[in-house]
Amino acid sequence: MMAKFLAETRKQFSKLTVLKEKSFWTTLTGFFLINVILVWLKTYVNYHFNFNLGATGALQQFLLVLNPIPTTIILLGIALYFRGKVAYFLIWLMNLIQSVWLFANILYYREFSDFLSFGILGSGSSTGNNLGKSIAAIIKPTDFLVYLDLVVIAVLLLIKFWPMSKKGLKKRYAFLTTCLGIALMLVDFGIASVDRSDLLTRSFDNNYIVKYLGLNEYAAFNAVQTKKQSDSRKEATAKDLNKVKAFLAQNDIPANASYYGTQKGKNVFMIHLESFQQFLIDYKVNGQEVTPNLNAFYHDQSTLSFDNFYNQVGQGKTSDAEMMQENSLYGLATGSAMTKYGTANTFEAMPAILGQQGYTSAAFHGDVSTFWNRNNTYKSFGYNYFFSKDYYPNADNPNYSVGYGLKDKIFLKDSAQYIEQLPQPFYAKLITVTNHYPYGLDKQNIDFPATETGDSTVDGYVQTAHYLDQSFGELMDYLKKTGLYDNSTFVLYGDHYGISENHKPAIAKLLGKDSVNNNDLANFQKVPFMIHGTGLQGGINHTIGGEIDMMPTLLHLLGVSTDGMTLFGHDLLSAQNQQTVVFRNGDWVTPTYTKYRNEYFDTKSGQQVFMKDNPALQATAKRTQTYADQSLSYSDKVITGDLLRFDKSRLNFTNVNKTSYDYNKKKALKALQQNQQSNPTSLLKQKGGQSTVNDYQTDAPELKNN
């Protein structure tokens, strides 16, 4: 049937044929040139419409025109070494490969404001099946236009409307074509190097690589970068760690004596607020507070609340936030450190440190244990227990889950049965997930109005944030009823942005502005950071800081010395804190100036400033950029080289024995019961074995209807 259809179609088209067999465009050279133009055109168009590359000036605009061409010529030029149908097919195939890469990056960039890396592609299995739901929610029909030319060409070739020449190209001409592609690549790199020196050696921002060199060149650069990371451990020595230690010692600051040890011996609740941004605090929609419970907590007299606290994640997003929170190490420039290095590396993490201070540690997450490789990484961190999806009886009910795991109200209520069994003092991390993109809740759980920005991706964000807030309020009520509240320190933090920079018009409406610039986007990276505890003199703290600073700040409050530790953050309560935030791409914020997307701003006024004739900015930029680059580079070396295996300076810390931990549900719960017998300090034991689970009240409609 298909053969008959093709024959009839060709017959009908034969009268209209405009491509004669002797036409230049039917030759292999003509077909090659058409495909080069098509690949260049769709790449260049998407540079402008789907990526925020920040190209300014005639030179950078020229590079955007030039940089798709060299690798397109080289890749499609492979076909010129062949003849006949094989050559035409190879040209079409190389067009397809580049189109798939372009399409994948369009979708990824729309949500994450970054380009795909081999590290992220290799982490795919560790993020479960839920990533597909997020990607599916952001696809636009126009995205598929990158394949339109391929479909048209394939049809024209199949019906033989486009004749294929049997003649090939002489090998020397094929070779000259390859040389032309390489020469254009060198020209591109030469021009780019003039505009931005040390592009490949000092840049931590993938946008620069794509802007200057191209999307395909970025893939090659990332492949080399990934290979270097994998080789780093083999080449690393103790001398590398010594250099890191010297850098950290040079930038070390003392703890704040008035706060040091004020929370010593208390339970610690580390509450991970998924995708929660600072602007939500005290934010109202139609006169209603989005997060009334968190607002009250934020303004409580015993809560230290930081309003200039930034997320510093890279491609690893949530896993990067955890790496900083648990280790004061940055995430990697590409991929997820937890996925790539969490299993085998040596760490000096919060659970292990506090475990050697007599704490029981537990992490709670209502999704699969393999997400971000947590089932292995948490052993390396020293977590005694990891309560993941298998531990929650409602987790397999699709009505009880949304996106990335159990709905927060159900998750937190079901976690109470394990919280009450933990021997005290304990360190418990609760990872909420409902406020995760694509911010979808069923109607029975929505009792808050959506915003009206006109962006469907954005408008549901306040509704899931409100749901998270209600969940948090229910947890606090339970802890107050049981008595755990007064004997605990609470640390709340947002892990990363919820609304990406690719929604600028919606962001402007949320912020009450006509438009947003790069300074607004820099401030939009702020997330909450709150520490609540009895005896703390609360209030709004304006110190500039970021997620890398969480660990040293908390350890000092708990009375744990950080001397000799390999920490890249600083105590936010120290009077000597320099208040420098380093973003994963090498941008930064200081009390005087902010660098974001290659533009500079006065941090206080928000006005853009320029290097020319500005000695103060020049000095700050030079000093801060050096510090930022060194911090990121040294942190990367600690992780990729597994340098902490060489650390013998911490005599009061014993490296984690990963084989000591088993997160199998049956074994772990048995171990938890035995631990309560040998250390009868759990809430359950204090209540004489009477469970407090019934004290946990929730209005989750799913449980009410049960």
Side-chain angles (χ1 to χ4, degrees), residues 277-451:
Q277 294 180 239
Q278 176 68 20
F279 85 89
L280 287 170
I281 298 296
D282 294 331
Y283 193 78
K284 294 181 180 180
V285 177
N286 297 338
Q288 299 181 57
E289 291 180 290
V290 177
T291 58
N293 293 300
L294 287 167
N295 294 346
F297 195 83
Y298 181 82
H299 294 290
D300 189 279
Q301 62 181 2
S302 296
T303 302
L304 286 165
S305 300
F306 294 84
D307 63 353
N308 287 313
F309 186 84
Y310 294 81
N311 91 77
Q312 297 169 282
V313 303
Q315 291 186 335
K317 294 299 183 290
T318 295
S319 66
D320 284 356
E322 288 195 68
M323 183 60 68
M324 288 184 279
Q325 174 251 314
E326 303 281 26
N327 297 276
S328 197
L329 294 172
Y330 292 97
L332 297 176
T334 174
S336 163
M338 281 177 53
T339 299
K340 297 173 70 173
Y341 297 97
T343 303
N345 270 27
T346 299
F347 293 98
E348 190 176 35
M350 285 287 294
I353 292 170
L354 293 180
Q356 294 175 30
Q357 301 286 327
Y359 276 72
T360 305
S361 57
F364 300 78
H365 178 51
D367 203 354
V368 293
S369 64
T370 55
F371 203 108
W372 289 126
N373 194 36
R374 287 187 176 100
N375 58 324
N376 293 310
T377 304
Y378 283 173
K379 293 177 183 178
S380 299
F381 287 177
Y383 270 109
N384 298 117
Y385 304 101
F386 177 28
F387 302 105
S388 58
K389 182 178 180 179
D390 291 343
Y391 290 81
Y392 294 90
N394 296 312
D396 290 324
N397 187 331
N399 190 41
Y400 287 29
S401 297
V402 58
Y404 287 77
L406 272 175
K407 295 173 184 174
D408 292 341
K409 289 183 180 180
I410 302 172
F411 162 65
L412 293 175
K413 176 176 172 56
D414 286 354
S415 295
Q417 62 183 305
Y418 304 120
I419 292 173
E420 69 173 4
Q421 297 183 63
L422 294 176
Q424 302 183 64
F426 57 72
Y427 173 79
K429 178 164 67 175
L430 296 157
I431 302 174
T432 63
V433 298
T434 305
N435 194 46
H436 196 292
Y437 180 86
Y439 315 118
L441 267 179
D442 44 356
K443 290 183 179 179
Q444 64 179 341
N445 278 296
I446 296 176
D447 62 355
F448 195 82
T451 53

Side-chain angles (χ1 to χ4, degrees), residues 269 412-422 424 426 474-475 477-485 676 682-698:
F269 281 96
L412 293 175
K413 176 176 172 56
D414 286 354
S415 295
Q417 62 183 305
Y418 304 120
I419 292 173
E420 69 173 4
Q421 297 183 63
L422 294 176
Q424 302 183 64
F426 57 72
E474 292 174 352
L475 174 64
D477 287 343
Y478 163 74
L479 296 176
K480 289 175 181 177
K481 286 180 183 178
T482 60
L484 282 177
Y485 185 89
Q676 289 185 79
S682 69
L683 176 64
L684 185 62
K685 288 293 183 181
Q686 290 178 347
K687 299 290 184 180
Q690 184 69 37
S691 177
T692 63
V693 171
N694 289 334
D695 289 332
Y696 202 115
Q697 300 298 311
T698 178

Side-chain angles (χ1 to χ4, degrees), residues 420-691:
E420 69 173 4
Q421 297 183 63
L422 294 176
Q424 302 183 64
F426 57 72
Y427 173 79
K429 178 164 67 175
L430 296 157
I431 302 174
T432 63
V433 298
T434 305
N435 194 46
H436 196 292
Y437 180 86
Y439 315 118
L441 267 179
D442 44 356
K443 290 183 179 179
Q444 64 179 341
N445 278 296
I446 296 176
D447 62 355
F448 195 82
T451 53
E452 297 178 355
T453 68
D455 189 326
S456 58
T457 302
V458 171
D459 286 336
Y461 181 56
V462 292
Q463 294 177 321
T464 52
H466 183 70
Y467 178 90
L468 168 58
D469 179 76
Q470 292 175 321
S471 308
F472 170 75
E474 292 174 352
L475 174 64
M476 293 299 104
D477 287 343
Y478 163 74
L479 296 176
K480 289 175 181 177
K481 286 180 183 178
T482 60
L484 282 177
Y485 185 89
D486 292 331
N487 193 37
S488 300
T489 299
F490 296 88
V491 181
L492 278 63
Y493 71 99
D495 61 340
H496 54 75
Y497 60 80
I499 302 172
S500 76
E501 296 178 1
N502 294 298
H503 302 278
K504 291 180 182 177
I507 293 173
K509 289 183 179 179
L510 290 174
L511 300 180
K513 298 187 174 187
D514 295 329
S515 62
V516 292
N517 60 18
N518 280 332
N519 185 65
D520 297 317
L521 295 177
N523 287 322
F524 207 60
Q525 302 308 310
K526 292 179 182 179
V527 293
F529 181 50
M530 313 176 211
I531 306 174
H532 174 94
T534 304
L536 288 180
Q537 297 298 315
I540 310 301
N541 190 308
H542 304 303
T543 299
I544 294 172
E547 291 165 329
I548 200 73
D549 302 312
M550 289 190 285
M551 182 180 179
T553 303
L554 179 57
L555 283 177
H556 288 169
L557 284 169
L558 295 173
V560 179
S561 172
T562 56
D563 291 346
M565 290 186 185
T566 305
L567 310 179
F568 284 83
H570 299 95
D571 187 341
L572 292 175
L573 299 171
S574 173
Q576 297 183 35
N577 192 307
Q578 297 299 307
Q579 301 188 64
T580 300
V581 170
V582 177
F583 294 114
R584 180 58 260 194
N585 65 0
D587 287 344
W588 40 262
V589 179
T590 71
T592 52
Y593 298 108
T594 295
K595 179 195 175 191
Y596 201 74
R597 301 296 185 194
N598 211 30
E599 292 182 347
Y600 297 90
F601 301 88
D602 183 288
T603 301
K604 292 181 179 179
S605 70
Q607 295 296 311
Q608 187 171 2
V609 291
F610 301 91
M611 282 286 190
K612 187 178 181 181
D613 300 324
N614 193 333
L617 173 59
Q618 292 170 8
T620 298
K622 181 178 180 180
R623 179 179 65 254
T624 308
Q625 195 63 62
T626 298
Y627 171 77
D629 292 347
Q630 288 180 331
S631 296
L632 294 169
S633 178
Y634 281 131
S635 177
D636 287 349
K637 288 179 180 178
V638 170
I639 295 175
T640 61
D642 191 17
L643 297 186
L644 292 182
R645 61 193 157 120
F646 301 119
D647 196 352
K648 307 299 181 184
S649 62
R650 291 279 290 152
L651 300 178
N652 58 339
F653 178 79
T654 303
N655 284 342
V656 171
N657 179 4
K658 299 160 194 174
T659 62
S660 301
Y661 308 109
D662 192 334
Y663 301 145
N664 173 273
K665 181 179 178 182
K666 186 176 181 180
K667 293 181 180 178
L669 292 181
K670 182 179 179 180
L672 183 58
Q673 291 177 348
Q674 293 174 343
N675 198 0
Q676 289 185 79
Q677 297 299 325
S678 60
N679 185 12
T681 59
S682 69
L683 176 64
L684 185 62
K685 288 293 183 181
Q686 290 178 347
K687 299 290 184 180
Q690 184 69 37
S691 177

